[in-house]
Amino acid sequence: MKSIKKSIEEIIQSVKHKPLQQIGEKVLNEQRITEEDGTMLFEQASLPYVGALANFVRERLHGNKTYFNRNFHIEPTNVCVFSCAFCAYSRLYAHREEGWELSEDEIMRIIKSYDGRPVTEVHIVGGVHPKLNMDFFAGLMRKIKAHRPGLHIKGYTAVELDYMFRKAKVSVEEGLRILHEAGLDSLPGGGAEIFHPEIREQICADKVDAEGWLKIHAEAHKMGMHTNATMLFGHIEKHWHRIDHMERLRKLQDQTHGFNTFIPLKFRNKNNDMSHVPESSIAEDMKLYAVARLYMDNFPHLKAYWPMLGRQNAQLALSFGVNDLDGTIDDSTKIYSMAGSEEQHPSLSTAQLVSLIKQAGREPVERDTLYNEIMNYKDIDLAEIELSPISN
Ligand code: V47
Ligand code: SF4
């Protein structure tokens, strides 16, 4: 049988455009592609070509493995002091009758409802509430850890942290140390949106800027915490803004190696101040994942967040560089359903996730937040998972 390398060599040679051929050769030889290369891939390469290159890299890094975890989300509040134009979720403090705020007891009740179930991670993320401060969140994490020490807490975007630290008048380093000691294990990737000020000023002018976001992640990495990074794509940004965004992340990763996963988030246009902006096509989305896999050569993982993309498109993304589908989520996550995602109550059982991955011809592997492998489902029968007491 022809080796994958041989096939990809043939594909590269068959491309008539010399600069695109040279990009292909760089990928084949594990050389870094430049910002110009990245923009050229968006603008001149065909989807099958970038897809084939991205799949080659994905399989070189991870073979057929596709990771997921058993997690659940808690959104303590949707009240937010900021007013990002793309956000369908937040309610301004002045109108908080439309919003919700969970008390510590209510959050602990959610945590306890997972007792005896094999979840490994809680993802805590929400609006930036003017009254919920660092003491509240540090106290909450101590309570969660006292109740279930092994549960990994991935919580608070750099936007929430920046606001918390400024309000508490502590430095980024001090603030992160306090939260880390209280039980915060890692940071999610939210709030990055598009870093370039030309776009940031139009879509989320009042929250932390690129430098502030990157500083928080850099400090977390210095402390030994792992973090993720997102990019909100498919709205008013140009291709070069996407490359600029990825370049800033790639540079930081060269220095710290603290990022686990890059998560492109597709802009959804319902119920927000950007409803006039059309959503991107699935072909554009797949190209974005493929270019991201090629550009972010120092990020080990590329995630398609299925609640936002939809299950079938997430399956498709597994052929365009993606090797992670997030998790079971099991949640009342409203951030996407309110913005028009088809997933109104995102939740998949382990059996459903495994089946989704197998249907796409890949090998499902359950991981923890830090990508330690918990179980490979390659040879496990679906009926066996459904009957198992560990299925959730
Ligand atoms: O930063 C808000 C996005 C993010 C819309 O780290 C929207 O594992 C599309 O960061 N259309 C928060 N996207 C969620 C997030 C996340 C999600 C899953 C996993 C991880 C992780 C992180 O949600 C925000 C923003 O970019 N968002 N509104 C919208 N209308
Ligand atoms: Fe607030 Fe986050 Fe929505 Fe922006 S995206 S308004 S920071 S909840």
Side-chain angles (χ1 to χ4, degrees):
M1 215 172 73
K2 215 189 291 175
S3 76
I4 304 176
K5 193 156 183 204
K6 198 98 207 110
S7 315
I8 203 80
E9 269 166 6
E10 283 175 15
I11 293 172
I12 293 168
Q13 292 318 315
S14 71
V15 171
K16 296 290 166 271
H17 190 273
K18 190 81 190 150
L20 284 177
Q21 222 182 59
Q22 285 165 343
I23 296 174
E25 278 155 10
K26 284 187 191 173
V27 172
L28 191 66
N29 298 319
E30 296 188 45
Q31 287 163 1
R32 178 160 276 190
I33 63 169
T34 64
E35 291 181 68
E36 293 71 36
D37 294 340
T39 308
M40 183 180 292
L41 285 174
F42 276 126
E43 290 173 359
Q44 314 230 16
S46 69
L47 179 59
Y49 185 55
V50 266
L53 292 176
N55 192 52
F56 173 72
V57 173
R58 181 242 200 260
E59 292 188 0
R60 183 166 67 199
L61 292 171
H62 306 291
N64 226 0
K65 287 181 181 173
T66 296
Y67 294 99
F68 69 93
N69 71 349
R70 299 200 209 205
N71 60 353
F72 62 105
H73 281 214
I74 296 182
E75 294 170 3
T77 180
N78 70 338
V79 172
C80 189
V81 297
F82 298 119
S83 42
C84 304
F86 53 81
C87 185
Y89 162 87
S90 75
R91 293 294 171 267
L92 290 175
Y93 191 54
H95 306 116
R96 66 187 181 285
E97 65 279 6
E98 297 172 46
W100 73 83
E101 298 167 30
L102 301 182
S103 65
E104 187 181 88
D105 283 350
E106 285 167 320
I107 295 174
M108 285 311 296
R109 230 175 301 169
I110 301 176
I111 298 280
K112 287 175 186 165
S113 72
Y114 287 88
D115 284 358
R117 293 166 70 183
V119 289
T120 56
E121 171 193 285
V122 56
H123 180 165
I124 304 178
V125 70
V128 180
H129 194 293
K131 292 233 168 104
L132 297 181
N133 55 28
M134 202 162 84
D135 290 344
F136 173 83
F137 286 117
L140 175 67
M141 277 176 294
R142 279 188 211 103
K143 280 221 157 141
I144 297 174
K145 285 289 181 184
H147 180 73
R148 191 164 174 173
L151 187 65
H152 184 108
I153 306 179
K154 179 175 80 179
Y156 315 116
T157 64
V159 175
E160 293 165 271
L161 294 172
D162 171 67
Y163 185 84
M164 249 187 249
F165 298 161
R166 282 190 291 118
K167 212 170 134 200
K169 296 193 171 47
V170 295
S171 67
V172 170
E173 195 190 343
E174 221 177 318
L176 278 172
R177 191 165 306 287
I178 293 168
L179 293 178
H180 190 36
E181 278 168 14
L184 181 64
D185 294 300
S186 65
L187 307 186
E193 323 310 359
I194 287 285
F195 287 141
H196 198 283
E198 206 173 275
I199 301 298
R200 207 167 180 85
E201 275 157 21
Q202 296 180 64
I203 64 170
C204 56
D206 51 358
K207 71 185 185 189
V208 68
D209 62 9
E211 289 67 35
W213 191 100
L214 291 163
K215 183 178 167 47
I216 288 176
H217 283 256
E219 286 293 342
H221 297 168
K222 254 197 237 162
M223 241 165 250
M225 293 165 85
H226 284 273
T227 76
N228 291 336
T230 57
M231 173 170 76
L232 180 71
F233 74 94
H235 45 91
I236 59 169
E237 87 288 2
K238 302 267 189 293
H239 293 135
W240 70 267
H241 293 120
R242 298 175 178 182
I243 296 291
D244 172 79
H245 187 92
M246 292 194 273
E247 175 59 23
R248 295 179 200 228
L249 290 168
R250 193 169 78 169
K251 262 202 190 117
L252 177 56
Q253 178 75 332
D254 276 342
Q255 294 162 24
T256 64
H257 305 285
F259 287 114
N260 268 337
T261 314
F262 183 52
I263 314 164
L265 295 169
K266 176 190 171 87
F267 164 68
R268 307 304 304 246
N269 70 0
K270 301 284 175 304
N271 304 316
N272 56 40
D273 291 343
M274 288 170 69
S275 291
H276 57 285
V277 177
E279 290 181 1
S280 53
S281 69
I282 298 306
E284 285 172 273
D285 300 343
M286 294 305 129
K287 198 170 202 185
L288 181 277
Y289 281 109
V291 175
R293 183 58 284 171
L294 299 175
Y295 202 83
M296 306 299 263
D297 56 3
N298 52 7
F299 272 62
H301 303 285
L302 181 66
K303 183 191 284 189
Y305 187 55
W306 65 262
M308 170 266 285
L309 201 57
R311 299 169 197 203
Q312 287 174 338
N313 294 332
Q315 276 179 318
L316 187 61
L318 297 180
S319 298
F320 289 86
V322 167
N323 70 295
D324 189 293
L325 287 189
D326 202 275
T328 44
I329 296 176
D330 191 17
D331 149 68
S332 52
T333 296
K334 296 186 176 66
I335 200 153
Y336 293 109
S337 54
M338 287 165 105
S341 164
E342 296 72 22
E343 302 284 349
Q344 289 302 306
H345 179 94
S347 180
L348 283 175
S349 68
T350 304
Q352 285 173 313
L353 253 178
V354 166
S355 150
L356 207 75
I357 295 169
K358 283 192 172 180
Q359 269 178 6
R362 299 292 188 186
E363 184 181 324
V365 178
E366 184 189 344
R367 58 161 176 89
D368 66 12
T369 311
L370 303 178
Y371 289 85
N372 298 303
E373 293 189 10
I374 295 178
M375 169 112 91
N376 190 320
Y377 287 82
K378 188 170 72 162
D379 299 319
I380 298 180
D381 199 56
L382 276 182
E384 228 178 285
I385 310 171
E386 270 156 6
L387 291 174
S388 142
I390 58 158
S391 176
N392 64 357

